[in-house]
Amino acid sequence: MTTATIIDKAKSEGRTLLTEVESKAILEEAGIPTAKARLATSAQEAAKAAKEIGFPVVLKIVSPDITHKSDVGGVKLDLKTPDEVAAAYDEIVAAAKKAQPNARIDGVAVQKMAPPGIEVIMGMSQDPQFGPVLMFGLGGVLVEVLKDVSFRLVPLEPRDARQMIREIKGYPLLEGYRGQEPADVEALEKLLLRLSEFVEKHPEISELDLNPIFAYKDGALAVDARIILS
């Protein structure tokens, strides 16, 4: 589905929160690399999708009413066989229904388990006075604990992207700390600029989060994504 089709479908259903599968499809169309996810609506479909994608895989609950998937037991990592995937599907759906009995559940997203990288976050929120603002920082749980982030107004210039990455306190981690491989900072800069262009073209988007993005020595990949419409 195209970006316009996905957004129109969500609006027609009275939704503002796009699912992870929808969010990633939109970002991919915008040229932002993501760990592609496939929707499965049964344990059998999940196992079949995993075999086609290749093991190991990750399963995540898909619901327009559940924002924080891990909080409801909606994520299973490193699944290596069809039986593990099928069992994980049932466990995830049961856990989500128990945690949020009224939540609509579309199924489960199946995606290839990405190799680990340095976790960073990119996001966008709307400032009531200045409009869209982009954020960059260390990702995963570190963004909640350390709040080591930088901000710039959209649209970004190349200089803004360079500064955003280098002004966080955790920047030495991206340079290669204590023998670790350095991250591809240039790829992160390009990703910020691409995200800025995307946000500028879509004023109907009020908020987005790419968290985590795995930063590698040769590129970067958004592993999880969330988009909220205005």
Side-chain angles (χ1 to χ4, degrees), residues 168-186:
I168 64 168
K169 293 176 183 174
Y171 179 65
L173 290 173
L174 299 174
E175 290 184 299
Y177 184 71
R178 289 195 172 181
Q180 298 293 316
E181 287 185 330
D184 187 346
V185 173
E186 187 178 344

Side-chain angles (χ1 to χ4, degrees), residues 7-64:
I7 290 176
D8 288 346
K9 179 175 181 288
K11 285 181 176 176
S12 69
E13 295 172 356
R15 292 190 285 125
T16 56
L17 176 64
L18 301 186
T19 67
E20 180 179 350
V21 175
E22 292 170 331
S23 299
K24 285 182 172 177
I26 286 177
L27 292 167
E28 280 286 337
E29 189 175 296
I32 295 168
T34 70
K36 295 179 185 65
R38 286 174 55 177
L39 178 66
T41 57
S42 69
Q44 292 73 25
E45 273 189 25
K48 183 181 177 188
K51 282 194 279 188
E52 292 170 357
I53 291 170
F55 295 99
V57 297
V58 179
L59 261 58
K60 294 187 259 186
I61 193 74
V62 176
S63 167

Side-chain angles (χ1 to χ4, degrees), residues 5-220:
T5 306
I6 291 170
I7 290 176
D8 288 346
K9 179 175 181 288
K11 285 181 176 176
S12 69
E13 295 172 356
R15 292 190 285 125
T16 56
L17 176 64
L18 301 186
T19 67
E20 180 179 350
V21 175
E22 292 170 331
S23 299
K24 285 182 172 177
I26 286 177
L27 292 167
E28 280 286 337
E29 189 175 296
I32 295 168
T34 70
K36 295 179 185 65
R38 286 174 55 177
L39 178 66
T41 57
S42 69
Q44 292 73 25
E45 273 189 25
K48 183 181 177 188
K51 282 194 279 188
E52 292 170 357
I53 291 170
F55 295 99
V57 297
V58 179
L59 261 58
K60 294 187 259 186
I61 193 74
V62 176
S63 167
D65 302 313
I66 296 175
T67 303
H68 300 293
K69 297 179 278 289
S70 297
D71 292 352
V72 300
V75 179
K76 294 282 185 183
L77 304 174
D78 201 19
L79 303 168
K80 296 183 174 71
T81 68
D83 287 344
E84 284 184 8
V85 171
Y89 181 97
D90 292 336
E91 290 170 13
I92 284 174
V93 172
K97 285 181 176 175
K98 183 178 180 183
Q100 289 190 216
N102 296 323
R104 294 165 291 175
I105 294 175
D106 295 338
V108 164
V110 184
Q111 72 179 52
K112 179 93 173 163
M113 184 111 180
I118 301 173
E119 294 188 10
V120 299
I121 181 174
M122 295 183 191
M124 184 278 289
S125 58
Q126 293 283 350
D127 181 276
Q129 185 172 358
F130 298 107
V133 180
L134 280 188
M135 175 190 71
F136 174 82
L138 294 180
V141 296
L142 289 177
V143 69
E144 297 170 11
V145 176
L146 301 178
K147 303 188 189 311
D148 183 16
V149 294
S150 57
F151 297 91
R152 289 292 187 284
L153 293 174
V154 172
L156 260 60
E157 297 293 333
R159 181 183 62 182
D160 297 318
R162 286 195 298 272
Q163 290 176 344
M164 284 180 76
I165 293 170
R166 287 163 177 77
E167 70 187 33
I168 64 168
K169 293 176 183 174
Y171 179 65
L173 290 173
L174 299 174
E175 290 184 299
Y177 184 71
R178 289 195 172 181
Q180 298 293 316
E181 287 185 330
D184 187 346
V185 173
E186 187 178 344
L188 294 175
E189 293 173 4
K190 289 179 180 174
L191 201 52
L192 277 170
L193 293 171
R194 205 164 292 160
L195 203 56
S196 173
E197 290 174 10
F198 169 71
V199 166
E200 210 176 1
K201 288 179 183 173
H202 294 283
E204 68 272 34
I205 293 176
S206 69
E207 186 179 330
L208 67 81
D209 280 306
L210 280 63
N211 184 31
I213 296 169
F214 284 171
Y216 301 117
K217 66 176 182 179
D218 53 356

